[in-house]
Amino acid sequence: MRVAFASDDENETTAAVVRALTEGGHEIVRPEPGQSWPDLGRFVGRAVVEGRADYGVVMCWTGTGTAIAANKVPGVRAALAWDPWIARGARLWNDANVLAMSLKRLAPDVAVEVLRAFLDTSEPDPDEAANIAALG
């Protein structure tokens, strides 16, 4: 699977997420370094919508800013998740295609659990098809 990944800072949590993606056999699509968090969110969103990546992961201090930026790209459904249940639900009930996480408030092991829950949920709940379509 190809996963677009961008973060506006690097720390143990972002390193753990990148390591989990690499060890999981995923190809990582990354932007050029030195971009602002709004540009990073848009980069990931565009990569997903344009088919250069299957899913996206954005990280910033809170995760909120990069999620908002990614959601400005038509066709992106970025969800901010802080635990595996939220991440799984974002895929199941919202067909989220971009995961946003805080790089400051999540411990590395928790961020990896959230990432795995998101990526391991491959299909949305068919009972939610009408609601997901209503999202636009």
Side-chain angles (χ1 to χ4, degrees):
M1 179 181 321
R2 286 173 308 182
V3 178
F5 175 83
S7 176
D8 72 341
D9 200 358
E10 302 283 328
N11 66 8
E12 291 177 19
T13 301
T14 58
V17 169
V18 170
R19 190 170 43 255
L21 288 169
T22 302
E23 290 173 358
H26 304 293
E27 177 186 341
I28 303 173
V29 178
R30 294 194 79 165
E32 295 294 323
Q35 295 185 43
S36 66
W37 58 262
D39 290 336
L40 295 172
R42 283 189 293 270
F43 170 86
V44 169
R46 287 186 189 120
V48 171
V49 170
E50 294 169 1
R52 291 181 285 125
D54 301 300
Y55 295 103
V57 176
V58 290
M59 298 182 79
C60 64
W61 281 34
T62 65
T64 306
T66 50
I68 292 170
N71 276 322
K72 296 292 183 179
V73 177
V76 169
R77 289 175 305 281
L80 178 61
W82 55 91
D83 72 28
W85 187 86
I86 296 292
R88 189 173 298 106
R91 288 284 308 124
L92 282 173
W93 306 313
N94 310 120
D95 196 19
N97 52 13
V98 174
L99 171 64
M101 294 187 286
S102 169
L103 62 85
K104 293 290 185 182
R105 300 300 295 175
L106 287 180
D109 59 329
V110 175
V112 169
E113 288 178 28
V114 172
L115 173 73
R116 288 186 179 138
F118 185 83
L119 294 179
D120 290 348
T121 307
S122 61
E123 297 294 327
D125 181 345
D127 292 339
E128 292 296 323
N131 290 325
I132 292 167
L135 293 175

